[in-house]
Amino acid sequence: MRKKRFSNFFYDYVQPLISNKKSLAGSIILLFFILMATIGPMIVPLNMNSDFANRYQRPSLQHPFGTDYFGVDIFQQIVHGSRSVISLTLLASLFAVIIGTVVGVARGYLEGISGKLLDAIITVFLVIPSFPALLILAAIFADTKLNTVEVALIVAIWLWAPLAKQVAAQVLTVKSREFVEASRMLNMGLGYILFSDIAKLLIPYIFVNFVTQLKSAMEFSIGLMFLGLAKFDPTHWGVMLNYALYQAGALYTPKGFHYPFFVILNIVLLIYGGILLAQGIEEVFNPKLRGHE
Amino acid sequence: MSTRVKRLIAVLVLGIFFIGLMGISLGASSTSSAGELRLATDWPYPFHGNPFGAGAVGGAWWFVYEPFAYYIPQSDEYIPRLAESWKIEKGKVTVTLRKNAKFSDGKPFTAKDVVNSVNFIQAMWQWPYEIQSVTAPNDYTVVFTLSKDAPQSFVHTILTDAAIPALAPYHVYSKWANQAKEVAELGKKIFALTSSGKTPDAQQKSSYDKKADDLRKQVNAYSPFKTLKRMPVVGSFEPTKITQSEMVLTANKYHWLYPKMKINRITFRRWSSNEFVWASLISGEIYAAHPNMPKDVVEQLTILNPSLKVKTTTDLSEIALVFNYQKPLFKDVNLRKVIAYVLDKSKVRDVAVWQASTCSPYAHGILKSMESKWISKDTLNKLTKYNTNTKMAEEILKKAGYKKVGSTWQQPNGQPVAFTLSVYGPHSDWVLAAREVVQQLNNFGFKVEMKLIPDGMRDQVMKSGDYEAAIEFGVTWQGYPHPYSGYLRLYEADLYNITKFPSKDKYSTPWGKFSPYDLTEQLRDVAQDKKKSMDVVQKLAYITNEYLPIIPLFEKVLPIYYSDKKVTGWPAKDDPIWSLAPGGIERVYNLLITTGKLAAKK
């Protein structure tokens, strides 16, 4: 029985994803970064000792991505930084998506005062300027040593509202469909209608949103580090980029071109991998775009 | 309307549009007029022209206000500006004003303006109460009577601070003159009572608070630029056109040195970031600036803009590692000594500010560039040299009962030597220094984390003591280039307020036991007497070096980049005039312009 279920799951979900070029490429890229974050630090040693005389060394066998302004190997830092980048951004995006989906679905389905109240909450979070809000949070939490989950939650607070607004709009178009009406007539519970009937239809949409949140989550997490809210991590890619562009002025010297380049390349690859996977998923599961049938 | 006419109208509209666009772009482009100096700075916008308003007048300060004199530290020379001469007696300074000084609206500058300015700054800023009274026996003589507690160094402040002579011209601020005088008098009385350990009467205090608040509200809200449509100033330039991105100053034709001036216009671009200033220097958009610049950027800059030269001069300040003495960990002098031995200060300097001076192996509280002037060879021989020596550091720790467990050092109580190093995020050179310090201490076996202090929160964090160790300015001599400034900061004022180093405790020295607080007080009273100062400085240097209230990392330098492509007459690199730059580089430019040295290249 269990074997049959697994087989169904494989043919229903995994195989279509593998057969779609975009989702396959996206999965490979993401898998590469996940491996980098999990196994990478065990294989690649990190030596952060500065060696100013050997700064801005070009890429070579010894230093695959060259050295930075401090003379430290960029590749080693990318590998070790991937752990905090991936854990923090994935978690923040996940939290944002969960909050956004729950509130969005509820807002779309509910009517009357409760619906308006949710709408007002979404609007408030949409209009709060995030940077001043982060400054206030920095002042509030300045004394607290926050862990990754707490930091991810703080980041998520400023990311969920646009998704909630969009999900609410989608739900409004879905909720009058026949199968929802049928569930209502069968006296199915509100939770079932919201999260079994309606939310399922939104999964590809939500996943795409999850991926596009990664970039914002990354930016926010860097902001929090520079506000002193999150533990300062010199190998975080955002911090590396900040050092490269603002502290070391790598863009102003041809010697330093590779320094921001490799950091940006990895950020772009990570996000691009996610986008490819999201597009693939949408093509696979959205009947209008389904190409594999 | 026929098609032909429609086409003609369309062509005309398009033509006007393009001509307008070209006009705008030409207007915005960096055209250089004859006799112009282009710089970068910051200023409040909308511009109000009020020194008491938010942001004051920004970087225009030293061009629009003149002190009685400029002091050149390297040549130890005062250059008279608004003063013709001065006489210093015990507790009294008599200044004879220049007769031909005028405000930019043509009104003469007289003693009445000085009296009014002092009243205003005392009322608005609660400073300088060291001036007990200021009187004007005639239009061109001002007598400052100092309070009995005023340090000798305050005479230097009176002579060189541009706020004192003409910050509040009488004819501009006369509306509040009596009010300011009343508030200043009340403030001085309360200050005198508090200083002598007495508590001011509650009614007197509340009356002062109400009157002072009332005055501040009115004066802060005043904008000469809006009300008078100009900003009458006694300096060599008056701000005449200010937008969000550009501030233009025009020469004051009534300035006594106007006939000599060959630069009649200063254009400031907004110093939005260091990167903007780097790019502006490379492109020739600005002719001089003093941003911190990484070594490779400087190399690239000299290739792209060969007309740029660079002169480095001491900033009369140092960057240091400071400790919070409310935290038990740092009360152990052995640990502080170990940190001093572990740090490779040259490495810290290389990554943070590569142009900074060679690091001193001492931590005596005297700037490295001034060491030979103030510390005798005999004293230097008595001081511990903190060259990088990890073996020595390990020996000290072991003797003091610390143990190394695995790769981490533990305190005698079994706790790891762990702390957080806070650093102000927007100061990129400090962040780079902190990163290096953290790395070196962790390599040695301490557990040190780095924490950035958010923009605008440095004062709040440091003053509230919400830090363990931090990167900060160590001793600075900018206001008064004398060891007194550094030791005052360390043992009584700014740094003491954030570190709470027990400066009133007595410490052993080869000359007996002394408290650095008492010695600093002594130095205050003899600051003008070099021989007596030297005697006190040796003791303070010993205590500072051996008990390490802070660990200096390097003496900061001011890298000044200047181009002779559009403007010539820059002084030679060894000219003492450059030493006027710390604390107000615009003074150098102003002095060069008003003495006719700087001129547009023909």
Side-chain angles (χ1 to χ4, degrees), chain A residues 49-50 55 69 142-143 227 247, chain B residues 296 428 436 443 451 454 466:
Chain A
N49 290 338
S50 58
R55 68 190 183 284
Y69 171 74
D143 291 338
L227 287 173
Q247 330 281 357
Chain B
D296 309 279
S428 58
E436 186 57 33
N443 284 349
K451 186 178 177 182
D466 182 22

Side-chain angles (χ1 to χ4, degrees), chain A residues 10-29:
Chain A
F10 182 81
Y11 286 111
D12 287 352
Y13 294 99
V14 181
Q15 201 190 34
L17 283 178
I18 293 172
S19 57
N20 182 288
K21 282 178 192 164
K22 284 183 182 170
S23 62
L24 180 67
S27 304
I28 292 170
I29 293 172

